[in-house]
Amino acid sequence: MSAETDLIKLYSQRILALAADIPRTGRLEAPDASVKKRSPLCGSTVTVDLVMRDGRVADYAQDVKACALGQAAASVVGGAIVGCTPSEIAAARDALRAMLKEDGPAPAAPFDDLEVLRPAQAYKNRHASIMLTLDAATEAAQQAQEAQSA
């Protein structure tokens, strides 16, 4: 396969559709936690705000300034994260990282649509952007949970 064909596969219609329709964009007025992550390689940034109730994400918003791959990841996360526990979010992050770096299985439901990003495995320079939203969401959920436990 040529490099051009690989890039076309990477930027599939599904990835571009996800990137064009990111749910829960913006910021929350009174989040329990807010985390901003930046990929030093490409400059992509994601800021995540969330509210936790009874150990689960009750509300979520994200400000995404990333490439199409990072936007697609944010789209899947934004559509799936409400109702999740911090451990479920961390498990999705770990599974996404393993999928990209070690050809592991896609994250479990409700994050299983991240499978669409599997073609990015070969593009290590894109992994950080893809991971931004789940990295930020994992940290924010942990912070919110710790604050509520204190």
Side-chain angles (χ1 to χ4, degrees):
M1 228 187 247
S2 72
E4 185 174 324
T5 304
D6 287 347
L7 274 177
I8 290 169
K9 182 179 176 187
L10 181 61
Y11 289 99
S12 70
Q13 289 293 82
R14 178 76 177 122
I15 286 174
L16 295 177
L18 285 167
D21 191 24
I22 303 171
R24 299 184 168 275
T25 56
R27 303 292 306 271
L28 296 180
E29 280 189 33
D32 291 335
S34 197
V35 172
K36 181 176 184 175
K37 293 284 185 181
R38 180 178 178 276
S39 169
L41 189 60
C42 65
S44 292
T45 62
V46 171
T47 304
V48 162
D49 296 334
L50 57 75
V51 173
M52 298 286 292
R53 293 292 175 265
D54 300 320
R56 295 186 176 275
V57 176
D59 200 4
Y60 176 86
Q62 56 191 351
D63 182 25
V64 182
K65 293 176 178 56
C67 66
L69 298 172
Q71 290 175 17
S75 184
V76 172
V77 172
I81 197 166
V82 172
C84 290
T85 65
S87 61
E88 290 167 338
I89 298 165
R93 177 205 56 199
D94 296 345
L96 178 59
R97 182 174 290 117
M99 181 186 86
L100 292 172
K101 296 187 179 303
E102 302 158 13
D103 197 27
F111 298 101
D112 49 333
D113 282 347
L114 289 167
E115 169 76 30
V116 73
L117 295 162
R118 187 174 294 278
Q121 289 172 322
Y123 299 89
K124 294 187 186 327
N125 60 334
R126 306 295 172 96
H127 291 184
S129 181
I130 292 168
M131 293 299 305
L132 282 177
T133 301
L134 275 175
D135 284 341
T138 298
E139 188 175 323
Q142 289 170 345
Q143 285 180 10
Q145 190 173 44
E146 289 168 7
Q148 288 179 353
S149 297

